[in-house]
Amino acid sequence: MASKDAHNQRSRGQPGFLPGAPDPDQSFRASSSDPGNQVWQQGVPSPSNFLPAISFPPGLEYLSQLDLIIIHQQVELLGMILGTETSNKYEIKNSFGQRIYFAVEESICFNRTFCSTLRSCTLRITDNSGREVITVNRPLRCNSCWCPCYLQELEIEAPPGTIVGYVAQKWDPFLPKFTIQNANKEDILRIVGPCTTCGCFGDVDFEVKTINEKLTIGKISKYWSGFVNNVFTNADNFGIHVPADLDVRVKAAMIGACFLFDFMFFEHSLAGL
């Protein structure tokens, strides 16, 4: 009976995995129980209903059963009043609107002023107890199709000091394309954006696809938040739709990708038009 259950579990959709894993079905899958049963509070231990063979980076157990991650950028009133670029701050929530992480950008004023959306920075993501669980490092790089050798790249650490993945921009003359890679820089998934990201009175979707781009398994959406918000503030709202059983390290990389898209395509106050 146990072998039959294991066979049925392997037959349900595409499991979360990283290339090179000896047994992706058991090493990186999580239980598909209702995320509403999770307790969201400080110092939550790994839930007991996880499969015994699963080991999550500290703090990423919150992501294990989520198929929707909501990211809300906080409004910086000082930047609005003074017309200056301030450090970005984001709330990361589950589908019930409960905050699971908080992200703060670390960058120097010179970079924010003169490098603008291309600036190098570090985003530190903490859980509700204040423990840093994810670090996203963004170096100063280009994003022009005329400079294909030095395009955007993010490095994701979870926990801080341990690299778990990368997000790398790929050259394409027509569409914004990115690749999610594991710690060995092996390609895992591709992200393909629309030909225009202006988002005129509607959502902007970046599709998450398999490596051959034949199958769409999810999407990262920049939600249209209304004319006033999109025109007069930099506060953006995003949703990451992924399979619930996708590897938590890949989900962490997709959170980093969402930050990168915000910098590249939506950072300006007129980005929503």
Side-chain angles (χ1 to χ4, degrees), residues 123-144:
L123 288 131
R124 302 194 182 278
I125 303 175
T126 57
D127 62 14
N128 289 331
S129 68
R131 173 183 55 169
E132 186 175 346
V133 295
I134 304 172
T135 303
V136 179
N137 298 309
R138 184 198 187 197
L140 178 64
R141 300 178 72 98
C142 301
N143 67 353
S144 171

Side-chain angles (χ1 to χ4, degrees), residues 160-225:
T162 302
I163 298 174
V164 296
Y166 297 87
V167 179
Q169 183 183 8
K170 297 300 180 181
W171 184 87
D172 188 277
F174 304 110
L175 298 175
K177 290 189 176 183
F178 302 83
T179 298
I180 292 181
Q181 302 171 329
N182 67 4
N184 298 320
K185 290 203 168 183
E186 299 169 317
D187 293 350
I188 300 174
L189 296 169
R190 293 199 185 277
I191 302 177
V192 181
C195 58
T196 176
T197 57
C198 65
C200 297
F201 306 101
D203 297 346
V204 179
D205 294 330
F206 294 79
E207 295 185 339
V208 181
K209 297 176 175 287
T210 54
I211 293 301
N212 58 13
E213 300 186 15
K214 292 184 178 180
L215 177 64
T216 299
I217 68 165
K219 64 180 179 179
I220 298 176
S221 299
K222 192 272 184 182
Y223 297 136
W224 168 254
S225 53

